Each structure stands twice: as C-alpha cells, then as structure tokens.
Amino acid sequence: TDEQAGHCVSIREDTGETSKDDKKRFGVCVLDSATSEFNLSSFEDDVCRTKLETLMRQLRPKEIIFTKVIKSSPFVSRLGEKS
C-alpha cells in the first residue's frame, strides 16, 4: 500500500548562476526502499519550484536530504512541517 512505500530523496540545487528567466537546475536521487532501486534525475524549475513540489507531493518521501542552499527555497523550508 501507499503507507508502506518508503522513499528517501536527496536534492541538490545547482549553485551556479540563475538563468535570465530565474530558473534553477536541480538534481534528485530517489531511493525506493521497497524495491532497493535508485533513480537519478535532473531538471530545470521555475522560481516557485513547481516541479520540485509536484515531485515531493507524488513521492511523499519518508526522508529528505538537502544542502543548506536549497533550504532557503520557500517550498523546501516547509518540507519539515507536519501536515
């Protein structure tokens, strides 16, 4: 079931310059603990971090690992809040 699914997610934000349209590049590694599979991905996201938020809402990870830089993002700063 969905409650048994356990994902551990590592997020890395590219600390290079932001593009002219204020987009940032993210790298994501997802560990599915049920299948022991690792999936790697990278993507460009808007200033609201829409793709990142969608990914986190779909995966509903049990653990998230990220750097201090990314914690400054408004969406990411809310990840630790209980809903």
Side-chain angles (χ1 to χ4, degrees), residues 19-83:
S19 65
K20 63 183 174 189
D21 51 358
D22 212 22
K23 292 189 175 185
K24 282 294 230 177
R25 187 141 198 88
F26 291 90
V28 178
C29 177
V30 179
L31 166 63
D32 183 339
S33 61
T35 62
S36 299
E37 283 186 351
F38 278 95
N39 292 294
L40 299 172
S41 181
S42 66
F43 54 89
E44 200 171 70
D45 208 351
D46 59 25
V47 70
C48 295
R49 308 302 185 246
T50 307
K51 290 179 184 178
L52 183 60
E53 182 172 3
T54 300
L55 181 66
M56 294 299 105
R57 289 186 186 278
Q58 289 175 343
L59 291 174
R60 297 178 43 205
K62 301 288 183 193
E63 294 186 43
I64 301 172
I65 302 166
F66 52 86
T67 60
K68 286 182 181 181
V69 174
I70 195 171
K71 193 168 184 176
S72 63
S73 167
F75 168 70
V76 176
S77 64
R78 294 190 319 260
L79 286 176
E81 296 175 4
K82 305 265 183 192
S83 44

